[in-house]
Amino acid sequence: QAKKLGRNRVEFFTPALQAELHAERRLADELRLAPVLRQIEPFYQIQVNARSRRIVGLEALARWRHPEKGLLNPAAFLKVADEYGLTPEIDAAVLKWALADRAAWVSRGLVPPRIAVNISGRRLADPDLIEGLQALKIPRHAIAFELVETIFLDDPDDRVLANIDGIKKMGIDIEIDDFGSGHASLIGLVKLKPKRLKIDRQLVTAVTVSDEQRRLVSSIVDIARALNVEVIAEGVETEEHARILAEVGCDELQGYAIGYPSPESQIAALLKSAHAKGRSRSTVGGAGD
Ligand code: C2E
Ligand code: MG
Ligand code: MG
Ligand code: MG
């Protein structure tokens, strides 16, 4: 697609644009190989119960360990990945890696909470998705998939709906990511019946701005309640955010105020100390609450 563009319209491109296109293509070529070379790995960010503050989940966030550029965040490569159709391989690599980390934690006697993995629209429409997932032998309730609401809320096609159904049947939770920031359709929410929704960071950080904003988030929580959907607040940056969100009935919290995305070793240490603490109180906190 980009190649065609380049060939037919190259004379209209300024040198700067040409250089940009060239750099993008190079990045895409590297990115195509990155999952195979095991350069795509997850960092994990903890999710806690809003009242007890116990760890109830982890979100796996893709990082690209680029051989020359160092550790890259999704902002540096997801746009190109999307343009070149490479997101499904990235999603799959993150899931596989997360399952391997989880298995290693279990073998060390740790009790990992559920792990939320982001899934792109393209992967969600893959007709071979369910077969591929089945081959991974994912333990029930070990994994959740986070979908951005734009994927489905307009008018999800049958294949996407069938895949979502298959995912649920495997015991993988469906979560709506960035809720409230895109084409939020309540009809879509009813149709999809997700396990939980994640209130978008912009709404979350605004709860301290005005009473209206706080009531808006409070109402979203009420809607979720009415539909039997759990609620996570993402992008919780201050203790005040955390307090207000707990007050309005948010179930779980995630954000810099709770913990930064961190490499596996740090998460394993956290799980270990949480486990030890739970044992000394003789109330082991593991998955769920
Ligand atoms: P997201 O799924 O909404 O993930 C939350 C993003 O917000 C993460 O950025 C996280 O590091 C950041 N974040 C967490 N807490 C806070 C906070 O308190 N304040 C602020 N300002 N930011 C916070 P990250 O890791 O750069 O990921 C960005 C986006 O890239 C993700 O947004 C998700 O849409 C996408 N992404 C990440 N990993 C994958 C993946 O494996 N597959 C796909 N398809 N997309 C992914
Ligand atoms: Mg997410
Ligand atoms: Mg999100
Ligand atoms: Mg977000």
Side-chain angles (χ1 to χ4, degrees), residues 26-220:
R26 265 203 55 176
L27 195 71
D29 285 341
E30 292 176 338
L31 192 51
R32 208 182 306 279
L33 290 174
V36 184
L37 298 173
R38 295 180 46 83
Q39 292 170 356
I40 303 290
E41 64 176 70
F43 268 33
Y44 299 96
Q45 189 177 28
I46 60 169
Q47 303 169 327
V48 299
N49 178 284
R51 279 159 297 273
S52 70
R53 297 290 177 97
R54 291 209 178 185
I55 299 174
V56 290
L58 301 170
E59 179 172 5
L61 295 158
R63 297 292 181 265
W64 182 4
R65 223 173 261 286
H66 191 282
E68 289 121 38
K69 295 174 182 155
L71 193 69
L72 301 179
N73 285 336
F77 60 87
L78 264 193
K79 199 176 134 270
V80 169
D82 197 40
E83 269 167 34
Y84 286 78
L86 304 173
T87 46
E89 283 74 24
I90 292 171
D91 295 351
V94 169
L95 173 63
K96 260 198 184 159
W97 198 302
L99 286 169
D101 281 342
R102 185 185 184 280
W105 293 333
V106 169
S107 75
R108 289 168 54 191
L110 301 174
V111 184
R114 62 163 200 269
I115 303 178
V117 177
N118 294 280
I119 184 164
S120 60
R122 199 185 293 265
R123 178 151 153 92
L124 207 57
D126 179 354
D128 299 326
L129 175 67
I130 298 301
E131 214 181 322
L133 291 175
Q134 271 158 355
L136 295 174
K137 306 236 177 300
I138 299 171
R140 293 186 71 81
H141 309 298
I143 296 292
F145 282 154
E146 294 192 3
L147 289 53
V148 278
E149 61 181 33
T150 48
I151 291 173
F152 66 92
L153 287 181
D154 301 333
D155 186 24
D157 70 38
D158 290 347
R159 185 181 290 157
V160 168
L161 287 175
N163 276 347
I164 288 175
D165 211 45
I167 288 166
K168 286 181 179 171
K169 287 199 172 112
M170 293 176 66
I172 297 173
D173 292 344
I174 296 289
E175 299 180 357
I176 309 301
D177 208 348
D178 302 346
F179 186 81
S181 72
H183 314 254
S185 142
L186 299 173
I187 294 170
L189 197 57
V190 173
K191 262 199 244 170
L192 195 81
K193 293 194 186 64
K195 175 78 175 174
R196 47 188 88 75
L197 58 83
K198 301 186 72 174
I199 304 179
D200 189 66
R201 174 163 63 86
Q202 284 182 62
L203 290 171
V204 164
T205 50
V207 292
T208 46
V209 171
S210 68
D211 271 2
E212 269 119 351
Q213 299 264 37
R214 185 184 47 77
R215 284 199 295 269
L216 177 61
V217 169
S218 180
S219 307
I220 293 174

Side-chain angles (χ1 to χ4, degrees), residues 257-271:
I258 312 293
Y260 289 97
S262 311
E264 180 279 329
S265 59
Q266 279 179 38
I267 296 297
L270 262 184
L271 292 179

